[in-house]
Each structure stands twice: as structure tokens, then as C-alpha cells.
Amino acid sequence: KYYIEEYKEDFDRINQDEIYKWYIVAKFQKNWDIEAVDFYNMLNKALVDYVQTPFAKVANNLICSNNFYPKSVLLEFVKKDKDTVKSMFEYLYDENISLNKRMNHFKTKADNLFLRDEHNKNKSHYQTFNIISLYLFLRYPDKYYIYRYSIFKLCAEKLKYSKKVKKGDIKEAINLYDEIKSVIKEDEELINLSKNRLNKDCYQDENLNLLTMDIAYFIENFNEEKKQEMIKVDKCWYVGANMEGVDYFDEFVKNGYWENGYENKYLDKVKSMQVGDKIVIKSAYTQKRDLPFDVNNKSVAVMKLKAKGTIIENKQDGRRVSVKWDKPWEKPKKWFFLQYRGTINKVERKDDDWVYGALLDFTFNDIEQDYDKFLTYPYWANRYDIDIENEEDYEENNEVKIYTKENFLQEVFIEEDFYNNLLNVLKRKKNIILAGAPGVGKTFMAKRLVYSLLGKKDDKYIRMVQFHQSYAYEDFVMGYRPSENGFVLKTGIFYNFCQIAQSDRENDYFFIIDEINRGNISKIFGELLMLIEANYRDEEIILSYNGKNFAVPNNLYIIGMMNTADKSLAVVDYALRRRFSFFKIKPAFEDGSFKEYQKKLENDYFNKLVNLLIKLNHEISDDISLGEDFCIGHSYLCNLNKDICTRDLLKEIAYYEILPILREYYFDDLDKVSYWQDEFEGIFDNETK
């Protein structure tokens, strides 16, 4: 009863960690069919590798961690001798035969199958009594238990079980578990706790055998001394100690304080720190080599924790707090995956997400980080198991090129006032659309606008995607995708990028959408349409697929590009118009900065071609069936220099890029096409330059 009370007290944490077992049993019950025509596929589905719980995607640890060795060997047996394996299960599940005889029969048959292959000498088939008892339990979960000698032995010792415990005595283990279950059945509160967490995808455990095993596992791992030492920390500030390139770690710890290195940033956050709050000094970077796990040779975010302490005074100046620092860790603690790069970050334990609690327990109670659990969490599983669009690895101290407003105005042919308006509206509205005909440089402008805001060319703060008619919520936010074992819930590029921005509030992030008007906006954004509005940033709603809270962070900006020359997209979704500010991007042939660029080329063919395009655009603008949305953009003539700006190159651009567009515009007016073709040919008749 003492252990049951401890179990109930820690039920929320235990439930998040162990609920996967109820899903695994349900999967087996749903898929098991001894008469299946495709016995291999049936067994593969019944012994599921992963399950999706409300908290995470979790590996089937009942059948040996992430390697699934017992299962893989068993499936190999099926490939070689399906009938024998089928008969092994038929015999194991025959309740008219004694338990010991059935289990020994299964193991003996497995031994024989294994020894058929000479390559298997000195190896193992992993079909142990533990695993065989698992097969039994999965089939009859209301009658049997999973046998593990270590759990059986320690439970017997801690509960002062009256009978002698011997290795391999499965019947006595069942007797012990039955006695534990008899006490559980007297605890109505515990039974209700367990039943209320089970949804339709869980095994309902009416006979409480699975709950009994879960409590036995809890008893085995329960450490009274450790419990007394553990500190329940629900909130902590993870802070940096680097100011303007100087590390103040030793200064802070020696003199008992922590200071915000900015005069006009994070003042409110520092003021919100309370006496008694925990605080940790950390540094953040990425690591690719010598990792304690495999992530397909990709870089992993790391936080190095250096010292922890308690805030003892806050004078509310927004700059400094007094801290009673504990003795710094002799060797800094490395925490992987969830990373906070910002100068000051508040981490709070959440009931519906175990990740934050895991970081706090790792920091203050030395509970080891469960790498497998992180790697099967949808966000990190997607990040390391599959390639995310435009995802790149960035090493610590990765060099980036400085990029300023002046660089932007030199490269992008718009006036300074227009640039200032772009920045001001983007900062206020959070979402803008650059609209214009093909060739006005919308994509080029969008990326360089971001660079100028960042002050550097650094694509790790940018994600880019192109919408199309088939693009959906499942691609953008999350949805079920086919896998080897059916369907798994995968998060999309926008969801993942929001998570990255959420964990790094010190920096701004930019999501660029090309051809934004080609997608069905309501279908793609779903319930996120409201969240992208500036007034609703950081407000949480419950997502329809995983039932979890989600918010679009305030430091994420959306830039869309829209092709105005596509008549099929003339009517823009009202939901799009209301949530975005629109900027019309026009050809820049008559812009001052373009004229400077043109002057440097010193090329008569270029000058004549520009003059003709200006004339052409005036005619297109005045054409009632076309209009300025169909003008020819200046990007066809960009990125040239004296060496490459030749007559032949310009002729290729005119004949094979611009004239084909005119043939589409005037498909029903061949005389006009012929006229403009003659005009272009006239430029290049003279070959003297």
C-alpha cells in the first residue's frame, strides 16, 4: 500500500512514460490472426515497433528497445519456415497444455530453427522466457503477466514475499503478481486513475494485469534515498553568460549574481524573475561527432549546463539579480535536442508535454536523458529520420556574411522609402505578400529582405516552401503518413519551424511561401489561420490531430510571393487578404538604382533592349485584356557584368525567354506577336558592338 501511494503521487509522470504499454497490447489484440494468409505481415503488425501516444511516438520497449532483435529474428524464422513458427504459436496459446511445457516447447523450437543456419553459431535468437511470456501476455492479457526475473526478484525482496524466489519460476511470479493485484483491487482511487487515462486505442485492462505489472516495475525502480534527495522544480531560468564576446561565467559565480548584458532588451523578463526561482548558466551550440546516439550523421542541438543556483534578490532594474550559486559542476552536463540559444529563457514543467519536465529533472535530479524517447518524439523523429525541406546543419561558430540595408538597396532595385515601408509593415503585421508579374524578382527580394533584417546572410533562420493545388495541411502542419507498419503521425515543415522559433526567442525567424495564391489557404493552414494574425501570436489552441496545445511564436514572420499574371488565380482568398499586407512589385527598368546598374555595363545592346522593354510594358499596361500585372520583369536582365553581357547572351534572353511570354499573351493576335518579334530582331541586326 505504501508503494501504491507513491505510485499515485507520481502518476502524471508515470502515465506519460508508461502509457505506451496499453497501446501496444491493443495493437496486438487488433492485428493477431493465427489463420492470416500473410502470416509474416500479420505478425509484423501485431508486434508493432512504435505507437503514438498523446505525449510522444514511443518505441515498443517491451520487445527490447529500439533494436527489436527478438522480433526481427522471429520474422526471419517466418521467412524460412512459416509453418513451424505458426505451430509454435498454436502450441504456446493452447490453454489445455501446462504453462511450463508450452514455454519450453517454444524455446526448443526456436533453438532448432536457429541452429539450422551455420552462420548463427555463437549468436542468439533472443527468444527467451521473458520474450515468450510477452507473447503469452499479449494474447491473454487478462490472465498472464510478462516475466522478468529482475522485477520478480526485487519486488519479492521489497515486499518481503513469504515464498522463496527462484530464477525461471514463472508460476511463482504469477502468484506474486496476483497478490499485488488483490491489493490494487481494494484501491478505488488508483483504479479510476488508470481507467480514466485510457482512450479507445488503448487496451482497457479490465482485469488490471497490466496495471499490476506497471506497479511492479515501479516498485523495482523505486529508490527511497533518491526520493528524499529529489527536488521538484517546476520552473527554471536558463541563461547565458556571454556578453559581447566575453564569458562572464566565473565572474557571476564568484560574486553571486547574474546580469543581463543588454541595456534595452529582456528588461521585463529579468524583472519577472522571482526570489526562490531556480537559475542555470548554459551555453548552446551544435554537435555532429561523438554523439551517444545515431542521428544519420546530422548535427544535434546541445546545451551545456555549467552551474545552477537560486535567485535570492531582484531589485527590479531589469538588469541584475543576486544568486546563491551551487558549486559548479566539475564537468558541465550535456543536454541534447531541446535547446535554448537565447540569453534568457524560462522553462516550465507542463502536464501535457514531458519534454520540459525531463530537462528540469535532468538538471536538478541527475535523471539521465532518455535519448530513445527523444528520437521517437515526432518533432525530432522527423528532423533526423527524414530530410526536411531546406534543412541544413550548422556547426558552432559557423561563419556568416554581414548583410545590411545598403547591401539590399544595391542588389534589389527598389527605392529606399519602399524598403522602409516593407520593414515597418512586416514588423507590425507579421505577414506580407510580395505580388507581381513573373520576373520582377519577388523571391530574390524576399530572401534579401530577410538577410537585411538579420544583418547577415544566414539561411538557418529561413524556411521556404512552394504551394501548389495538391499542397495540404498534412504537408504543412501535421498528418498521418504511410510507413512500414501502417500510418504514423508526422509533423510538417511549418509546425517544425514554429517549434524551432519557439525555442529561440532571441532571434527572428522567417517562413517564405512561393506561389502562395496557388494553394488552398484554408485547407493548408486549417486552425492556424487565426494564429498567424499578429494579435494572436503566442496564443495557444488545441491541434486537431494530436490534441496538444500549439502557438505560432511572435518571433516568426511569414513572407509570401504571388504571381499576378496567372488569371486563374485572379480572385485571392479573402482569408489571405485579411491576414497579410500586400506590396505590388513592379519592373524596375526606370528605377534609379537599375539605371546605375545599367550604366556600369556600358553596353548598347543592353540599353536598346531596356528601352524596348519599357515601351512594351507601357503597351501591356494600357491593354485592357492584360494590364500592369502582366508586365515583363527586370530580373531577366539582372546579375550581368561587362564580361558576360554580350550581344549573343542578350539575344538568347530576348528570343527564348521574353518572346515566348508575348506569344502566350497575344496567342489570338499574331500580327502583334510579329510586330514585337520584328522590334526585338531590329536591336540585334547591327553586329558592330
Side-chain angles (χ1 to χ4, degrees), residues 109-124:
K109 288 291 185 181
D111 291 339
N112 293 337
L113 285 169
F114 197 65
L115 292 173
R116 286 185 193 177
D117 189 343
E118 293 183 359
H119 298 293
N120 289 331
K121 290 181 179 179
N122 302 319
K123 296 181 182 179
S124 171

PDB file of all heavy atoms in Angstrom, residues 109-124:
ATOM      1  N   LYS A 109      11.899 -25.145 -30.025  1.00  0.00           N
ATOM      2  CA  LYS A 109      11.677 -24.996 -31.468  1.00  0.00           C
ATOM      3  C   LYS A 109      12.490 -23.822 -32.026  1.00  0.00           C
ATOM      4  O   LYS A 109      13.027 -23.899 -33.143  1.00  0.00           O
ATOM      5  CB  LYS A 109      10.188 -24.773 -31.748  1.00  0.00           C
ATOM      6  CG  LYS A 109       9.327 -26.008 -31.541  1.00  0.00           C
ATOM      7  CD  LYS A 109       9.616 -27.061 -32.609  1.00  0.00           C
ATOM      8  CE  LYS A 109       8.684 -28.246 -32.487  1.00  0.00           C
ATOM      9  NZ  LYS A 109       8.985 -29.286 -33.518  1.00  0.00           N
ATOM     10  N   ALA A 110      12.576 -22.743 -31.255  1.00  0.00           N
ATOM     11  CA  ALA A 110      13.379 -21.593 -31.681  1.00  0.00           C
ATOM     12  C   ALA A 110      14.855 -21.966 -31.764  1.00  0.00           C
ATOM     13  O   ALA A 110      15.559 -21.575 -32.699  1.00  0.00           O
ATOM     14  CB  ALA A 110      13.177 -20.422 -30.721  1.00  0.00           C
ATOM     15  N   ASP A 111      15.326 -22.757 -30.782  1.00  0.00           N
ATOM     16  CA  ASP A 111      16.714 -23.234 -30.814  1.00  0.00           C
ATOM     17  C   ASP A 111      16.981 -24.021 -32.094  1.00  0.00           C
ATOM     18  O   ASP A 111      17.998 -23.822 -32.768  1.00  0.00           O
ATOM     19  CB  ASP A 111      17.004 -24.135 -29.605  1.00  0.00           C
ATOM     20  CG  ASP A 111      17.021 -23.364 -28.291  1.00  0.00           C
ATOM     21  OD1 ASP A 111      17.209 -22.132 -28.332  1.00  0.00           O
ATOM     22  OD2 ASP A 111      16.841 -23.996 -27.238  1.00  0.00           O
ATOM     23  N   ASN A 112      16.057 -24.913 -32.431  1.00  0.00           N
ATOM     24  CA  ASN A 112      16.237 -25.770 -33.608  1.00  0.00           C
ATOM     25  C   ASN A 112      16.258 -24.957 -34.903  1.00  0.00           C
ATOM     26  O   ASN A 112      17.079 -25.199 -35.787  1.00  0.00           O
ATOM     27  CB  ASN A 112      15.132 -26.820 -33.667  1.00  0.00           C
ATOM     28  CG  ASN A 112      15.228 -27.813 -32.519  1.00  0.00           C
ATOM     29  OD1 ASN A 112      16.305 -27.991 -31.930  1.00  0.00           O
ATOM     30  ND2 ASN A 112      14.105 -28.450 -32.172  1.00  0.00           N
ATOM     31  N   LEU A 113      15.354 -23.993 -35.017  1.00  0.00           N
ATOM     32  CA  LEU A 113      15.326 -23.137 -36.208  1.00  0.00           C
ATOM     33  C   LEU A 113      16.620 -22.336 -36.335  1.00  0.00           C
ATOM     34  O   LEU A 113      17.163 -22.154 -37.431  1.00  0.00           O
ATOM     35  CB  LEU A 113      14.129 -22.184 -36.150  1.00  0.00           C
ATOM     36  CG  LEU A 113      12.755 -22.773 -36.432  1.00  0.00           C
ATOM     37  CD1 LEU A 113      11.667 -21.764 -36.071  1.00  0.00           C
ATOM     38  CD2 LEU A 113      12.624 -23.167 -37.901  1.00  0.00           C
ATOM     39  N   PHE A 114      17.109 -21.875 -35.216  1.00  0.00           N
ATOM     40  CA  PHE A 114      18.311 -21.047 -35.207  1.00  0.00           C
ATOM     41  C   PHE A 114      19.546 -21.844 -35.619  1.00  0.00           C
ATOM     42  O   PHE A 114      20.407 -21.348 -36.346  1.00  0.00           O
ATOM     43  CB  PHE A 114      18.496 -20.453 -33.806  1.00  0.00           C
ATOM     44  CG  PHE A 114      19.439 -19.289 -33.749  1.00  0.00           C
ATOM     45  CD1 PHE A 114      19.148 -18.101 -34.393  1.00  0.00           C
ATOM     46  CD2 PHE A 114      20.630 -19.363 -33.033  1.00  0.00           C
ATOM     47  CE1 PHE A 114      20.003 -17.011 -34.332  1.00  0.00           C
ATOM     48  CE2 PHE A 114      21.495 -18.281 -32.968  1.00  0.00           C
ATOM     49  CZ  PHE A 114      21.180 -17.098 -33.621  1.00  0.00           C
ATOM     50  N   LEU A 115      19.630 -23.080 -35.148  1.00  0.00           N
ATOM     51  CA  LEU A 115      20.812 -23.905 -35.426  1.00  0.00           C
ATOM     52  C   LEU A 115      20.855 -24.435 -36.850  1.00  0.00           C
ATOM     53  O   LEU A 115      21.877 -24.967 -37.292  1.00  0.00           O
ATOM     54  CB  LEU A 115      20.868 -25.073 -34.433  1.00  0.00           C
ATOM     55  CG  LEU A 115      21.161 -24.666 -32.977  1.00  0.00           C
ATOM     56  CD1 LEU A 115      21.037 -25.866 -32.054  1.00  0.00           C
ATOM     57  CD2 LEU A 115      22.545 -24.034 -32.856  1.00  0.00           C
ATOM     58  N   ARG A 116      19.753 -24.291 -37.570  1.00  0.00           N
ATOM     59  CA  ARG A 116      19.756 -24.727 -38.970  1.00  0.00           C
ATOM     60  C   ARG A 116      20.756 -23.926 -39.806  1.00  0.00           C
ATOM     61  O   ARG A 116      21.294 -24.411 -40.794  1.00  0.00           O
ATOM     62  CB  ARG A 116      18.361 -24.548 -39.586  1.00  0.00           C
ATOM     63  CG  ARG A 116      17.340 -25.560 -39.129  1.00  0.00           C
ATOM     64  CD  ARG A 116      16.059 -25.314 -39.923  1.00  0.00           C
ATOM     65  NE  ARG A 116      14.926 -26.024 -39.367  1.00  0.00           N
ATOM     66  CZ  ARG A 116      13.686 -25.919 -39.846  1.00  0.00           C
ATOM     67  NH1 ARG A 116      13.457 -25.119 -40.890  1.00  0.00           N
ATOM     68  NH2 ARG A 116      12.686 -26.585 -39.299  1.00  0.00           N
ATOM     69  N   ASP A 117      20.961 -22.676 -39.403  1.00  0.00           N
ATOM     70  CA  ASP A 117      21.853 -21.792 -40.153  1.00  0.00           C
ATOM     71  C   ASP A 117      23.210 -21.759 -39.458  1.00  0.00           C
ATOM     72  O   ASP A 117      23.335 -21.315 -38.318  1.00  0.00           O
ATOM     73  CB  ASP A 117      21.253 -20.383 -40.215  1.00  0.00           C
ATOM     74  CG  ASP A 117      22.023 -19.461 -41.161  1.00  0.00           C
ATOM     75  OD1 ASP A 117      23.171 -19.790 -41.499  1.00  0.00           O
ATOM     76  OD2 ASP A 117      21.457 -18.422 -41.543  1.00  0.00           O
ATOM     77  N   GLU A 118      24.255 -22.244 -40.141  1.00  0.00           N
ATOM     78  CA  GLU A 118      25.591 -22.301 -39.550  1.00  0.00           C
ATOM     79  C   GLU A 118      26.126 -20.915 -39.196  1.00  0.00           C
ATOM     80  O   GLU A 118      26.975 -20.763 -38.324  1.00  0.00           O
ATOM     81  CB  GLU A 118      26.562 -22.985 -40.526  1.00  0.00           C
ATOM     82  CG  GLU A 118      26.257 -24.463 -40.736  1.00  0.00           C
ATOM     83  CD  GLU A 118      27.284 -25.125 -41.637  1.00  0.00           C
ATOM     84  OE1 GLU A 118      28.208 -24.405 -42.094  1.00  0.00           O
ATOM     85  OE2 GLU A 118      27.167 -26.332 -41.866  1.00  0.00           O
ATOM     86  N   HIS A 119      25.648 -19.885 -39.889  1.00  0.00           N
ATOM     87  CA  HIS A 119      26.120 -18.519 -39.608  1.00  0.00           C
ATOM     88  C   HIS A 119      25.665 -18.031 -38.237  1.00  0.00           C
ATOM     89  O   HIS A 119      26.163 -17.026 -37.740  1.00  0.00           O
ATOM     90  CB  HIS A 119      25.606 -17.549 -40.679  1.00  0.00           C
ATOM     91  CG  HIS A 119      26.109 -17.858 -42.056  1.00  0.00           C
ATOM     92  ND1 HIS A 119      27.432 -17.734 -42.406  1.00  0.00           N
ATOM     93  CD2 HIS A 119      25.464 -18.310 -43.172  1.00  0.00           C
ATOM     94  CE1 HIS A 119      27.595 -18.063 -43.671  1.00  0.00           C
ATOM     95  NE2 HIS A 119      26.415 -18.421 -44.160  1.00  0.00           N
ATOM     96  N   ASN A 120      24.717 -18.725 -37.629  1.00  0.00           N
ATOM     97  CA  ASN A 120      24.159 -18.269 -36.354  1.00  0.00           C
ATOM     98  C   ASN A 120      24.918 -18.772 -35.139  1.00  0.00           C
ATOM     99  O   ASN A 120      24.523 -18.512 -34.007  1.00  0.00           O
ATOM    100  CB  ASN A 120      22.698 -18.707 -36.243  1.00  0.00           C
ATOM    101  CG  ASN A 120      21.802 -17.937 -37.188  1.00  0.00           C
ATOM    102  OD1 ASN A 120      22.089 -16.801 -37.520  1.00  0.00           O
ATOM    103  ND2 ASN A 120      20.729 -18.566 -37.641  1.00  0.00           N
ATOM    104  N   LYS A 121      25.983 -19.526 -35.341  1.00  0.00           N
ATOM    105  CA  LYS A 121      26.742 -20.040 -34.205  1.00  0.00           C
ATOM    106  C   LYS A 121      27.312 -18.889 -33.376  1.00  0.00           C
ATOM    107  O   LYS A 121      27.738 -17.871 -33.909  1.00  0.00           O
ATOM    108  CB  LYS A 121      27.879 -20.942 -34.697  1.00  0.00           C
ATOM    109  CG  LYS A 121      27.379 -22.271 -35.277  1.00  0.00           C
ATOM    110  CD  LYS A 121      28.531 -23.134 -35.734  1.00  0.00           C
ATOM    111  CE  LYS A 121      28.002 -24.464 -36.296  1.00  0.00           C
ATOM    112  NZ  LYS A 121      29.106 -25.323 -36.774  1.00  0.00           N
ATOM    113  N   ASN A 122      27.315 -19.083 -32.057  1.00  0.00           N
ATOM    114  CA  ASN A 122      27.823 -18.090 -31.097  1.00  0.00           C
ATOM    115  C   ASN A 122      26.998 -16.802 -31.079  1.00  0.00           C
ATOM    116  O   ASN A 122      27.467 -15.768 -30.644  1.00  0.00           O
ATOM    117  CB  ASN A 122      29.291 -17.744 -31.384  1.00  0.00           C
ATOM    118  CG  ASN A 122      30.188 -18.958 -31.338  1.00  0.00           C
ATOM    119  OD1 ASN A 122      30.025 -19.813 -30.465  1.00  0.00           O
ATOM    120  ND2 ASN A 122      31.121 -19.043 -32.276  1.00  0.00           N
ATOM    121  N   LYS A 123      25.798 -16.857 -31.598  1.00  0.00           N
ATOM    122  CA  LYS A 123      24.894 -15.711 -31.539  1.00  0.00           C
ATOM    123  C   LYS A 123      23.659 -16.094 -30.733  1.00  0.00           C
ATOM    124  O   LYS A 123      23.635 -17.116 -30.056  1.00  0.00           O
ATOM    125  CB  LYS A 123      24.512 -15.267 -32.955  1.00  0.00           C
ATOM    126  CG  LYS A 123      25.689 -14.748 -33.778  1.00  0.00           C
ATOM    127  CD  LYS A 123      25.233 -14.310 -35.162  1.00  0.00           C
ATOM    128  CE  LYS A 123      26.406 -13.841 -36.006  1.00  0.00           C
ATOM    129  NZ  LYS A 123      25.967 -13.433 -37.364  1.00  0.00           N
ATOM    130  N   SER A 124      22.620 -15.281 -30.792  1.00  0.00           N
ATOM    131  CA  SER A 124      21.401 -15.562 -30.028  1.00  0.00           C
ATOM    132  C   SER A 124      20.166 -15.317 -30.880  1.00  0.00           C
ATOM    133  O   SER A 124      20.178 -14.455 -31.757  1.00  0.00           O
ATOM    134  CB  SER A 124      21.355 -14.667 -28.786  1.00  0.00           C
ATOM    135  OG  SER A 124      20.103 -14.773 -28.135  1.00  0.00           O
TER     136      SER A 124
END
